Amino acid sequence: MNDTTETLSGPDLTQGVALSKIADGAMLLGHAHGEPALLVRRGDELFAIGAVCTHYGASLADGLLVDDTMRCPWHHACFSLRTGEAIRAPALNPVSCWHVEQRDGSAYVREKIERVAQPSAPTAAGRPGAVVIVGGGAAGNAAAEMLRREGFSGRITMLSADASVPCDRPNLSKGYLAGTAPAESNPLRSPDFYRASGIDVKLGARAATIDTASRHVRLVDGSRYAYDALLLATGAEPVRLEVPGSGLPHVHYLRTLADSRALVAKALASQRAVVIGASFIGLEVAASLRSRNIAVHVVAPDTVPMQKILGPDVGTFIRRLHEQHGVTFHLGTTAASIDERGVTLKTGEHLQADFVVVGIGVRPAISLAEQAGLAIDRGITVDEHLETSIPGIFAAGDIARWPDRLTGERIRVEHWVVAERQGQTAARNMLGRRERFDAVPFFWTEQYDFALAYVGHAERWDQAELDGRLDADTRDCTITYRRGGKILAVATVYRDLESLRAEVEFERTITTTA
């Protein structure tokens, strides 16, 4: 992951800080034993934890204290003040945590709290002996790690159709494609990590069928893997463009690490590209290619990019942002055909291109679930515990449609953080926890120097209210999405604390409806 080093600042917390300088519910940024550290007061209790998020290196001093947790301002990771553990994705690694001594009216940060590995729980009635995970993405990886963190000692097999170990998928269209993040930042974990954790990762392993009666998964090569509990985390597949020439070798999609590597190689040897689709993936790709000085044309049927999801104000701003960076839009039209030299639009215009990137959406990969006879409703139907219609089989990530208490509807969300958090919840429930999945959906997008965070889920809304300004000179706003007067989602631009507070408010709403 990204480098999390930070220049030491503030007081040396090991030398003592007067308690009068730390109000209840406040935090003090300093350092301890050579690391950035936060000293936090909650009533009569004092905590000291590392001050840098282990996900992308955000300063936790800019985050939000919620009960006995610290939340990251960038991507809403959550850490325990008592142990430093990463309680919720996207952070997977803990932060440091130290003992705090109160003496003579001062607080002193002492030795580091040593983490004790969760004891391996023996297989018992109701607990699986073997878990199979189908899918090597965000949900599958998070589930495998959580099983071990919960002390599961049985066999874990991850069957991934990809050729690479689980990777940081958001990075593929952002930093890595733009050339600002190294290739080393892509894998979530090293092969050594999986070996040390006893997680058997099978790459290039494409599942063909599930035998729910004898409880095994059969791969296309005929091999079989028995399970006591099964997690389906097969993710989504790009929607394919069906026009003449769409199968030519210079037409690309972006879903896997191999896809991103191919795009990087193409960008290094090209000058012009056409991006078909003004989705998040399409616009992030456009921004990343512009950072490599590729001339980019974006083609989409929309009249305003992202208007359906983010509203006209944000959509208009995003279009102007891209145009300021040299992108040319062709809106209200689609591709009619593709040839070796470019793309012909339905308007008759021909756009020259050395390569084409298609980003017109994804669809859940549910064929395996359909074959197995699981209940399907535009995704795999799961209950509040992420269990499917067949006991012992769970689903998480892009494929899962679950009952959401915030909207009162069944929803399916194609966001990275949601997939990771569902994987973590599914893992605990495979071990018998019966934990309701109630995490508030969250995603972010980065395009050039513009970043937007979004909490909640407003698949349909009738009002998008902008508070603040979003223009070439000022990027400081909140957009609230309502339906029938009810707030369903909140998007923020450079208002990180407001985004976190919106998430907490949604959580409280969910709790009161329990």
Side-chain angles (χ1 to χ4, degrees):
M1 300 304 294
N2 292 34
D3 183 13
T4 57
T5 58
E6 183 174 288
T7 302
L8 299 181
S9 61
D12 183 347
L13 302 178
T14 65
Q15 300 302 307
V17 176
L19 292 175
S20 60
K21 292 185 177 180
I22 314 172
D24 184 15
M27 52 186 162
L28 175 66
L29 175 63
H31 56 93
H33 307 289
E35 297 182 41
L38 284 175
L39 186 59
V40 180
R41 184 169 185 172
R42 280 296 194 198
D44 294 331
E45 291 188 286
L46 289 165
F47 306 95
I49 64 168
V52 180
C53 180
T54 56
H55 177 228
Y56 274 6
S59 172
L60 295 180
D62 298 325
L64 184 68
L65 288 170
V66 181
D67 300 325
D68 60 352
T69 68
M70 170 61 71
R71 303 202 183 186
C72 173
W74 287 0
H75 306 126
H76 295 206
C78 182
F79 299 92
S80 168
L81 293 177
R82 299 183 183 279
T83 66
E85 287 295 323
I87 297 175
R88 294 194 310 192
L92 300 176
N93 294 325
V95 293
S96 297
C97 192
W98 296 272
H99 291 284
V100 180
E101 177 188 5
Q102 296 185 46
R103 177 167 51 86
D104 301 328
S106 293
Y108 299 84
V109 173
R110 297 308 192 197
E111 70 278 6
K112 190 172 288 188
I113 296 175
E114 297 299 329
R115 291 185 180 82
V116 178
Q118 185 80 8
S120 296
T123 301
R127 289 178 66 94
V131 172
V132 170
I133 299 169
V134 181
N141 180 79
E145 290 199 28
M146 184 55 67
L147 286 168
R148 290 297 185 229
R149 283 173 57 181
E150 289 288 319
F152 177 64
S153 59
R155 187 172 72 251
I156 302 175
T157 305
M158 184 189 300
L159 304 174
S160 175
D162 284 348
S164 305
V165 295
C167 69
D168 184 356
R169 199 181 304 278
N171 195 35
L172 301 184
S173 60
K174 300 180 179 75
Y176 178 62
L177 182 57
T180 58
E184 296 76 29
S185 67
N186 284 322
L188 291 175
R189 299 296 193 187
S190 69
D192 288 342
F193 171 87
Y194 296 108
R195 283 191 289 269
S197 302
I199 300 170
D200 187 11
V201 180
K202 305 291 187 183
L203 299 178
R206 188 171 296 277
T209 60
I210 301 170
D211 188 324
T212 59
S214 61
R215 289 183 169 243
H216 70 255
V217 178
R218 183 177 63 82
L219 303 187
V220 293
D221 66 5
S223 57
R224 299 186 178 194
Y225 294 87
Y227 66 84
D228 297 305
L230 174 66
L231 174 65
L232 297 180
T234 46
E237 301 167 332
V239 174
R240 299 286 163 172
L241 183 66
E242 299 293 341
V243 299
S246 58
L248 290 170
H250 68 305
V251 178
H252 295 261
Y253 295 82
L254 178 53
R255 185 68 184 173
T256 67
L257 178 56
D259 293 337
S260 192
R261 285 173 174 164
L263 277 177
V264 169
K266 197 69 177 177
L268 291 174
S270 303
Q271 295 180 325
R272 299 164 300 190
V274 169
V275 175
I276 300 176
S279 61
F280 282 111
I281 192 73
L283 293 175
E284 288 176 0
V285 165
S288 295
L289 293 178
R290 284 300 298 138
S291 72
R292 292 182 179 271
N293 205 31
I294 302 294
V296 177
H297 289 250
V298 173
V299 178
D302 320 70
T303 55
V304 177
M306 306 306 303
Q307 180 174 1
K308 181 179 178 182
I309 298 174
L310 298 177
D313 293 317
V314 180
T316 299
F317 169 82
I318 287 177
R319 174 179 178 171
R320 290 173 179 167
L321 174 71
H322 279 269
E323 289 175 336
Q324 289 164 5
H325 284 82
V327 173
T328 301
F329 281 90
H330 304 266
L331 300 176
T333 187
T334 59
S337 63
I338 301 173
D339 57 40
E340 290 82 356
R341 294 174 300 279
V343 178
T344 299
L345 306 183
K346 287 196 172 181
T347 60
E349 185 177 5
H350 187 269
L351 307 177
Q352 292 186 325
D354 300 312
F355 66 102
V356 177
V357 184
V358 180
I360 55 175
V362 298
R363 57 171 58 97
I366 58 174
S367 59
L368 193 64
E370 290 176 317
Q371 168 274 317
L374 301 180
I376 301 294
D377 174 20
R378 296 166 294 158
I380 301 175
T381 302
V382 297
D383 63 15
E384 64 269 26
H385 306 119
L386 303 178
E387 193 166 20
T388 70
S389 57
I390 296 181
I393 300 179
F394 294 76
D398 296 354
I399 56 175
R401 185 174 292 277
W402 79 95
D404 175 52
R405 283 197 286 180
L406 185 62
T407 60
E409 302 172 350
R410 282 190 172 273
I411 64 173
R412 187 181 65 82
V413 174
E414 297 163 355
H415 301 326
W416 174 259
V417 175
V418 173
E420 287 189 305
R421 291 178 179 176
Q422 286 189 341
Q424 292 174 331
T425 298
R428 289 189 286 264
N429 288 337
M430 284 190 285
L431 301 180
R433 288 277 290 273
R434 307 300 289 171
E435 175 184 304
R436 179 188 287 269
F437 179 76
D438 270 340
V440 179
F442 169 83
F443 75 85
W444 78 96
T445 185
E446 295 171 6
Q447 299 171 37
Y448 310 106
D449 58 349
F450 170 74
L452 177 143
Y454 182 107
V455 292
H457 183 71
E459 192 169 343
R460 302 181 311 280
W461 47 268
D462 52 36
Q463 182 183 5
E465 178 186 354
L466 187 143
D467 172 62
R469 289 183 60 186
L470 184 61
D471 53 40
D473 298 320
T474 305
R475 302 175 187 180
D476 176 26
C477 68
T478 299
I479 308 96
T480 303
Y481 301 91
R482 292 181 173 89
R483 185 172 73 241
K486 180 180 179 180
I487 298 176
L488 297 178
V490 174
T492 58
V493 179
Y494 295 113
R495 291 185 177 183
D496 292 336
L497 277 177
E498 194 161 329
S499 180
L500 285 169
R501 290 181 180 126
E503 180 180 61
V504 172
E505 190 59 36
F506 282 137
E507 291 171 356
R508 289 172 178 160
T509 300
I510 291 171
T511 300
T512 59
T513 61

